[in-house]
Amino acid sequence: MTGPYPGIAADCWLGDQGARLYYASPKTFGPKSISMAIGQGDYDIIYLNSFFSVKGSILPNAVLRRKEKESHILIAPRGEFSPGALSQKTAKKKAFLTFAKLSGLYRNVHWHVSSEAEKADLLRVFPVERARVHIAADPVAISVDDHKHPLKTAGVLSLVFISRVSPMKNLDGLIAILKEVRRKVALAIHGPAENEAYLRQCKMLSETLPSNISITWKGPITPDEVRSTFARHDAFAFPTLGENFGHVIFEALDSGTPVLISDTTMWKEDGTPALRVLPLHDKAKWVRAIEEAADRDETGQRNARAAALGYAKDYASKDRGRKDTLAMFRRIAADRVSATSGS
C-alpha cells in the first residue's frame, strides 16, 4: 500500500485499550515529531524495526540517545547484516558503519535477531555485546482457509514471485535463470516497485527471454491476497540475496505451494519436494530445479503440495516465536528496571 490507511488520523496518539498507536505522516516524520512522540509517554522498550533506515531507525536512535534513553532501545536489523544485503549500496553502508562504530551511536542498545545465522551476521560486521543480542524467531500462524489449486500439466509451470521488486529480492537474477529454462513457464510477478530504475531494468531483461517463457507484471497485492495468490500457482521461486526470516516463504508453504529459495535464508530442506534450497549463484541448479518442477504431472504436483502443507504445519507446531518474543521483551524490560534501581 503506497498511501495512508483510510480512516486513520496521523500525527497523534490513538487508542486507549491497553495499546496506543502513533502514525506519523511523511511530512512530519523526522527528529522533531519523533522527539515529541517519545516525550509523551514512559516506555520500557522502544523497538526499531531496521538498522539502516534513516527515518525508521537512525533518527529515532539519535533522538533517544540525546534523551539518555539508549537502554530502552531494541533494534531488529531484519537481515540487513547479511552478505547479500551489505552488497547493496556498499559504500554508504560501510561509511555509516564506520561512523557508528567510532561514535558509539549504538552503545548499550539491545538487538533482536531471528536465528543463530542472523546473530553471526551481526557479530561479524558490527561489534556488539553478545549478552545484548536476543534470538526470537518471527511468530507464524496456519491459515484456516481451504485454498483451491489448479490442475498441473507435465512440462508446463505456473511460477510466481511475490515480494518487493528490489535488488535485494533478486528478481533480475530469476529472470536471468529463466532465460536458460527449456520448459514452458509462465511467471506472475506480484509486489510494489521499490525502485523504478530497477523495475525498468527487470522489464528490459524480460524482453530478452525466449518464447517459451512469459512474464505478467501484476503489481502490489494486499496481505489478505497473498496466500490465495500463491495457491493459484505451481511453485514460488525466490532467489533472494538474504532474509532474516522470510514470512513470504512460510505463506507459500502454508498455501500448498512448493518453494524454490536461495541458500541465504534460515529455511532448510526436509527431504520432500516442499522446499528446495539452491545455491544463490549456481544458475545451472536453479534451471534444473525449475525444469523438474515443470515436469511434474498432476499426481506429482499434488504430492508436492501436500508436502508443502505438511512442512508449514510441522513448522508452526514447533514455532516458539511468540513465547521467545515475549520472553525477550520481558527480559529487556526487567534489565532496564534493575539498571535504573541500581543507579
Side-chain angles (χ1 to χ4, degrees), residues 11 22 24-38 54-56 58-63 66:
D11 304 320
Y22 188 100
S25 62
K27 289 183 180 180
T28 62
F29 190 22
K32 185 177 180 180
S33 63
I34 291 168
S35 181
M36 181 178 67
I38 291 169
V54 175
K55 288 187 174 183
I58 296 172
L59 285 177
N61 180 53
V63 169
R66 286 201 298 271

Side-chain angles (χ1 to χ4, degrees), residues 171-183:
L171 177 58
D172 60 319
L174 175 58
I175 295 172
I177 289 166
L178 289 174
K179 196 171 184 178
E180 308 295 327
V181 172
R182 296 296 177 258
R183 304 292 189 275

Side-chain angles (χ1 to χ4, degrees), residues 68-123:
E68 298 183 348
K69 292 179 180 287
E70 63 268 21
S71 64
H72 294 55
I73 303 174
L74 173 61
I75 298 177
R78 296 300 174 194
E80 291 171 310
F81 290 107
S82 71
L86 291 173
S87 70
Q88 307 295 314
K89 300 180 181 179
T90 304
K92 287 184 178 180
K93 289 179 179 178
K94 282 185 176 179
F96 180 69
L97 282 167
T98 299
F99 167 75
K101 292 173 185 177
L102 293 175
S103 66
L105 186 60
Y106 292 88
R107 186 173 55 248
N108 296 331
V109 305
H110 291 265
W111 302 84
H112 172 203
V113 296
S114 294
S115 65
E116 288 286 354
E118 190 183 9
K119 179 180 179 179
D121 286 341
L122 168 64
L123 294 174

Side-chain angles (χ1 to χ4, degrees), residues 223-260:
D224 290 343
E225 297 174 307
V226 170
R227 281 177 166 86
S228 60
T229 301
F230 272 128
R232 293 197 297 270
H233 298 277
D234 301 325
F236 170 39
F238 196 38
T240 174
L241 300 186
E243 302 290 319
N244 75 307
F245 180 74
H247 273 286
V248 72
I249 298 166
F250 178 82
E251 289 173 312
L253 294 165
D254 189 39
S255 307
T257 302
V259 177
L260 307 175

Side-chain angles (χ1 to χ4, degrees), residues 4 8-14 22-25 28:
I8 297 295
D11 304 320
C12 62
W13 284 103
L14 307 171
Y22 188 100
Y23 291 96
S25 62
T28 62

Side-chain angles (χ1 to χ4, degrees), residues 52-287:
F52 286 114
S53 171
V54 175
K55 288 187 174 183
S57 183
I58 296 172
L59 285 177
N61 180 53
V63 169
L64 287 162
R65 295 198 75 84
R66 286 201 298 271
K67 292 178 175 291
E68 298 183 348
K69 292 179 180 287
E70 63 268 21
S71 64
H72 294 55
I73 303 174
L74 173 61
I75 298 177
R78 296 300 174 194
E80 291 171 310
F81 290 107
S82 71
L86 291 173
S87 70
Q88 307 295 314
K89 300 180 181 179
T90 304
K92 287 184 178 180
K93 289 179 179 178
K94 282 185 176 179
F96 180 69
L97 282 167
T98 299
F99 167 75
K101 292 173 185 177
L102 293 175
S103 66
L105 186 60
Y106 292 88
R107 186 173 55 248
N108 296 331
V109 305
H110 291 265
W111 302 84
H112 172 203
V113 296
S114 294
S115 65
E116 288 286 354
E118 190 183 9
K119 179 180 179 179
D121 286 341
L122 168 64
L123 294 174
R124 185 181 63 252
V125 176
F126 199 67
V128 303
E129 294 180 46
R130 288 178 177 268
R132 289 181 174 269
V133 183
H134 310 272
I135 300 176
D138 291 4
V140 298
I142 291 290
S143 171
V144 297
D145 296 328
D146 183 17
H147 298 293
K148 304 299 182 184
H149 303 118
L151 296 176
K152 174 76 170 62
T153 301
V156 179
L157 186 67
S158 174
L159 198 62
V160 67
F161 176 94
I162 301 180
S163 188
R164 290 178 289 113
V165 179
S166 72
M168 185 66 190
K169 306 305 180 181
N170 199 25
L171 177 58
D172 60 319
L174 175 58
I175 295 172
I177 289 166
L178 289 174
K179 196 171 184 178
E180 308 295 327
V181 172
R182 296 296 177 258
R183 304 292 189 275
K184 187 174 181 179
V185 177
L187 172 65
I189 298 169
H190 297 264
E194 187 177 86
N195 182 309
E196 289 295 332
Y198 180 71
L199 176 63
R200 289 194 296 272
Q201 174 190 334
C202 290
K203 287 188 173 181
M204 288 179 61
L205 184 60
S206 70
E207 292 173 0
T208 67
L209 291 170
S211 59
N212 60 303
I213 309 295
S214 64
I215 290 184
T216 306
W217 302 85
K218 297 288 191 177
I221 56 176
T222 67
D224 290 343
E225 297 174 307
V226 170
R227 281 177 166 86
S228 60
T229 301
F230 272 128
R232 293 197 297 270
H233 298 277
D234 301 325
F236 170 39
F238 196 38
T240 174
L241 300 186
E243 302 290 319
N244 75 307
F245 180 74
H247 273 286
V248 72
I249 298 166
F250 178 82
E251 289 173 312
L253 294 165
D254 189 39
S255 307
T257 302
V259 177
L260 307 175
I261 57 169
S262 54
D263 57 353
T264 58
T265 79
M266 55 157 278
W267 296 89
K268 307 296 182 185
E269 295 183 357
D270 67 346
T272 75
L275 185 144
R276 291 287 308 277
V277 177
L278 302 159
L280 178 62
H281 300 295
D282 194 332
K283 187 186 290 187
K285 286 190 176 180
W286 275 90
V287 170

Side-chain angles (χ1 to χ4, degrees), residues 316-337:
S317 70
K318 299 174 182 176
D319 177 35
R320 292 181 49 86
R322 285 179 177 80
K323 183 181 293 185
D324 289 347
T325 299
L326 285 172
M328 172 182 69
F329 285 134
R330 287 168 178 154
R331 186 164 57 250
I332 295 170
D335 287 348
R336 177 187 165 243
V337 171

